[in-house]
Amino acid sequence: MTHPASATLISNMQAIVGKSFVLTSHAKIAPYSKGFRFGSGDAMAVARPGSLLEIWQLLKACVAADVAVIMQAANTGLTGGSTPDGNDYDRPIVIINTMRISDIHLINDAKQIIGLPGSTLFGLEETLKPFGREPHSVIGSSCIGASIIGGVCNNSGGALVQRGPAYTELSLYAQITADGTLQLVNHLGIQLGDTPEQILTNLQHKKYRQADIEHPDKLASDNVYHERVREVDADTPARFNNDGRRLHESSGCAGKLAVFAVRLDTYPIQKQQVFYVGTNDAQVLATMRREILTQFKTLPVSGEYLHRDCYAVTKKYGKDTFWVINTLGSKVIPSLFSMKRTIDRFASNFRFLPAKLSEVIMQWFSYLLPSHLPSRMEAYHQQYQHHWILEMSGEGIAEARAYLQQFFATQQGDYFECTQEEGDKAILHRFVAGGAIGRYHALHKESLGPMMTVDVALRRNEAKWFEELPKEIDDLIADKFYYGHLFCHVMHQNYVLKKGVDAKALKQKILSSFDARGAEYPAEHNVGHEYIAKEPLRKFYRVLDPTNSFNPGIGKTSKLKGWAER
């Protein structure tokens, strides 16, 4: 899109961050304008600032030039929420990628942290380990380098039952007011100065004292989720994106604010024990979920579900990712994903090469690797349809041990208490499932139809948690892969359709069935450009961004200035 101020704006951005950190060629913009799994569109430029002050200066230049801005960190989202979507905007788009600014500050004896825009969950895990503490989310998203602020902005849920969605009421952000004025809002609870320049510079260089850190009556985590998840008779889901209960400034903003920093609680690392459960009766797991949540004194750490078909596809197509993380650690995964994107971008220039060349290479590599899953898990795969990885800590370990022994004396199925290695591998196997399913589809695209994913939060009192589709829908699907966070009743359901099936129409039928059951979606991946933002979320976006200048079109809202309709 040609814009009268384009040349001037690009020149101004180059003056702010340096010419090498303003990308304008299509080839260099592409990795930033295409989503990790979903969505893509044009951008006028990508700016990669190296400081908080540079972000502020870029924002001022973009507001003066009347362009739209997308704030982006790791670009690991699954619903396209940090990239453009198509090319039907009424203004050019500038992407501001913040990954060069990755500082993490520990405050209050490491019981809280300040995360700057490019800081990652993996970096936070490593920073907190020496203090015997851990962040809200572990493994899962951290494996692919997801950012701390991205998790807060997108209501990321995670697997940990006791913690709920990523949430804080303490943040520092820029907002564009109804009259088009850019303003900086410091709700971080730290005295940093009076002007934006002072505040941002002092924060980045940690020029504040213990006495400057305030303790306002504001949350730095969802402090009641552990009670909410136990309410198994409630007819609403435990957590979902459109839930107004946890929409506050940066939390759930989906990029409608430019967030510079968030303040979050951390958690003590506890000794944990994994129990592996197998059954052929979904109702057995429903009974266990209800009894554990209502009767146990200690809440589980996590309860990750994996269907047999998902187990099998993950074993074959996630083997290389499993091996890399298990052998080299998750620190190498962001670099691996970057390399994969580079290979695929190179391959796209040659018609004779596969569209997903990196997936082909990695799959061939996986065939050279030895068997990687414990023998007891493999035996359960042969024997049972439903797999549940139950992780307990503290007094909950003894509770679970006694409960499982008594429960399976009369119920269909069985369990075993994992060794440390078995437990680690069971959890890792579950967390490479999403990428494995994507790999399977990419390598069989010629014979299969499209793939669609649904991230759904079932009612807490939903009795039939395991999906049974009507025959007219089931007949259109080649493969179904189910996994999820069973205690929270959050399920990730992946459908690979048969050739020629209209994915859009079929997905609407499936989503309508969820509507009829009182479920909510998405549960934890944000609406992005894949889902419709329901009215509470739309109102929230309009309050945060009245001119619709930040991340326009999110949640299938208006892409036009001032929220105009076409």
Side-chain angles (χ1 to χ4, degrees):
M1 178 187 295
T2 303
H3 190 269
S6 294
T8 302
L9 175 58
I10 288 172
S11 177
N12 289 341
M13 291 194 298
Q14 289 173 339
I16 294 167
V17 302
K19 194 170 183 178
S20 62
F21 292 112
V22 178
L23 314 178
T24 56
S25 72
H26 177 75
K28 290 183 177 179
I29 288 174
Y32 302 89
S33 62
K34 182 176 176 59
F36 179 71
R37 185 186 287 179
F38 181 92
S40 65
D42 288 343
M44 183 179 81
V46 175
R48 300 182 60 234
S51 71
L52 298 179
L53 184 57
E54 286 182 1
I55 296 178
W56 175 254
Q57 292 168 337
L58 286 170
L59 291 173
K60 288 200 297 183
C62 289
V63 170
D66 193 27
V67 299
V69 174
I70 294 177
M71 298 294 295
Q72 180 192 87
N75 191 19
T76 58
L78 301 181
T79 57
S82 56
T83 60
D85 177 51
N87 304 311
D88 55 342
Y89 297 85
D90 61 344
R91 298 150 289 169
I93 291 174
V94 170
I95 297 172
I96 299 179
N97 182 279
T98 62
M99 291 304 290
R100 292 177 62 210
I101 313 167
S102 57
D103 307 62
I104 297 170
H105 301 172
L106 302 182
I107 61 173
N108 301 333
D109 298 321
K111 292 178 181 177
Q112 288 189 324
I113 64 100
I114 306 293
L116 301 194
S119 58
T120 65
L121 287 168
F122 171 75
L124 182 54
E125 281 186 61
E126 293 297 295
T127 301
L128 289 172
K129 269 182 188 175
F131 299 88
R133 301 187 73 83
E134 63 185 9
H136 162 270
S137 298
V138 295
I139 202 165
S141 296
S142 61
C143 284
I144 55 174
S147 72
I148 296 170
I149 285 181
V152 171
C153 294
N154 294 320
N155 291 121
S156 297
L160 302 179
V161 179
Q162 301 164 10
R163 300 179 191 174
Y167 181 75
T168 187
E169 295 169 0
L170 298 163
S171 62
L172 173 67
Y173 58 87
Q175 184 173 34
I176 300 174
T177 63
D179 64 0
T181 302
L182 181 71
Q183 64 177 16
L184 188 69
V185 179
N186 182 9
H187 287 169
L188 203 56
I190 302 177
Q191 292 295 330
L192 294 164
D194 299 317
T195 68
E197 290 76 15
Q198 289 174 337
I199 292 169
L200 297 171
T201 301
N202 287 338
L203 176 61
Q204 178 133 24
H205 297 290
K206 209 173 182 182
K207 291 183 177 179
Y208 54 89
R209 303 161 301 168
Q210 181 63 35
D212 295 321
I213 301 174
E214 302 169 340
H215 300 278
D217 187 21
K218 291 185 177 182
L219 299 177
S221 61
D222 186 342
N223 65 338
V224 296
Y225 186 77
H226 63 284
E227 299 171 358
R228 185 176 176 84
V229 76
R230 285 187 183 271
E231 296 168 356
V232 296
D233 292 317
D235 63 357
T236 56
R239 54 179 166 94
F240 55 98
N241 277 130
N242 288 288
D243 186 2
R245 185 183 70 93
R246 284 295 177 251
L247 298 175
H248 182 87
E249 296 178 353
S250 63
S251 295
C253 74
K256 302 304 286 182
L257 299 171
V259 183
F260 290 89
V262 293
R263 179 172 165 180
L264 295 167
D265 291 331
T266 68
Y267 304 84
I269 297 174
Q270 296 179 297
K271 179 186 176 183
Q272 296 171 357
Q273 174 63 52
V274 173
F275 299 87
Y276 201 94
V277 175
T279 183
N280 287 314
D281 185 354
Q283 189 56 42
V284 166
L285 298 190
T287 301
M288 287 180 65
R289 171 184 173 270
R290 169 175 282 272
E291 291 180 352
I292 291 171
L293 288 177
T294 57
Q295 296 175 15
F296 275 33
K297 179 182 176 182
T298 304
L299 267 180
V301 174
S302 66
E304 292 299 288
Y305 170 76
L306 202 67
H307 184 265
R308 171 189 277 161
D309 294 342
C310 192
Y311 180 109
V313 78
T314 304
K315 176 184 174 182
K316 183 173 182 179
Y317 294 96
K319 186 178 183 181
D320 54 301
T321 307
F322 179 104
W323 183 86
V324 167
I325 297 173
N326 192 56
T327 306
L328 304 176
S330 58
K331 62 181 179 293
V332 303
I333 293 299
S335 298
L336 181 64
F337 273 92
S338 178
M339 181 181 71
K340 281 163 56 68
R341 286 179 173 179
T342 300
I343 292 171
D344 290 339
R345 193 164 67 251
F346 169 80
S348 68
N349 296 319
F350 302 93
R351 289 187 178 181
F352 63 89
L353 291 176
K356 290 281 187 178
L357 179 61
S358 67
E359 301 288 6
V360 176
I361 294 171
M362 295 301 289
Q363 190 59 31
W364 276 105
F365 168 69
S366 74
Y367 295 145
L368 304 176
L369 298 173
S371 178
H372 62 296
L373 295 178
S375 58
R376 290 201 287 182
M377 281 176 58
E378 290 286 74
Y380 270 44
H381 174 227
Q382 296 300 317
Q383 191 173 358
Y384 297 117
Q385 179 182 0
H386 304 289
H387 296 234
W388 200 16
I389 306 162
L390 178 61
E391 190 175 11
M392 303 298 301
S393 65
E395 294 179 3
I397 297 173
E399 280 187 289
R401 189 176 286 137
Y403 171 80
L404 290 169
Q405 185 175 7
Q406 182 180 14
F407 183 83
F408 282 110
T410 58
Q411 296 287 337
Q412 193 276 330
D414 206 350
Y415 78 98
F416 63 87
E417 188 167 336
C418 295
T419 64
Q420 183 68 49
E421 180 183 6
E422 287 174 328
D424 291 345
K425 288 188 173 183
I427 292 169
L428 182 52
H429 183 61
R430 154 64 185 90
F431 280 111
V432 300
I437 295 166
R439 164 88 54 84
Y440 164 74
H441 182 253
L443 297 185
H444 296 85
K445 228 170 182 178
E446 297 303 315
S447 59
L448 296 169
M451 183 176 79
M452 58 187 200
T453 62
V454 176
D455 167 33
V456 63
L458 304 175
R459 293 175 304 156
R460 283 167 282 174
N461 65 352
E462 176 61 69
K464 295 184 178 180
W465 65 271
F466 186 71
E467 183 176 64
E468 296 180 5
L469 293 169
K471 188 175 186 304
E472 63 270 18
I473 290 179
D474 202 48
D475 286 346
L476 302 176
I477 300 173
D479 298 289
K480 301 187 293 288
F481 301 112
Y482 297 134
Y483 59 93
H485 317 305
L486 191 55
F487 282 117
C488 301
H489 258 191
V490 168
M491 300 300 297
H492 302 300
Q493 307 192 159
N494 299 259
Y495 310 93
V496 178
L497 310 185
K498 293 179 179 177
K499 202 80 172 173
V501 173
D502 184 338
K504 189 174 181 180
L506 183 59
K507 186 165 188 175
Q508 192 50 56
K509 287 183 180 179
I510 292 174
L511 293 182
S512 295
S513 73
F514 288 139
D515 291 336
R517 295 168 62 190
E520 292 280 356
Y521 50 85
E524 59 180 6
H525 288 162
N526 200 274
V527 291
H529 289 290
E530 188 173 5
Y531 295 95
I532 294 173
K534 295 181 181 178
E535 197 54 34
L537 206 49
R538 286 174 176 257
K539 288 181 178 178
F540 180 59
Y541 292 161
R542 292 183 73 122
V543 169
L544 295 182
D545 184 20
T547 65
N548 201 23
S549 297
F550 284 129
N551 211 5
I554 196 76
K556 300 190 182 296
T557 57
S558 169
K559 294 181 178 180
L560 308 182
K561 186 176 180 179
W563 298 92
E565 297 296 335
R566 294 190 188 279

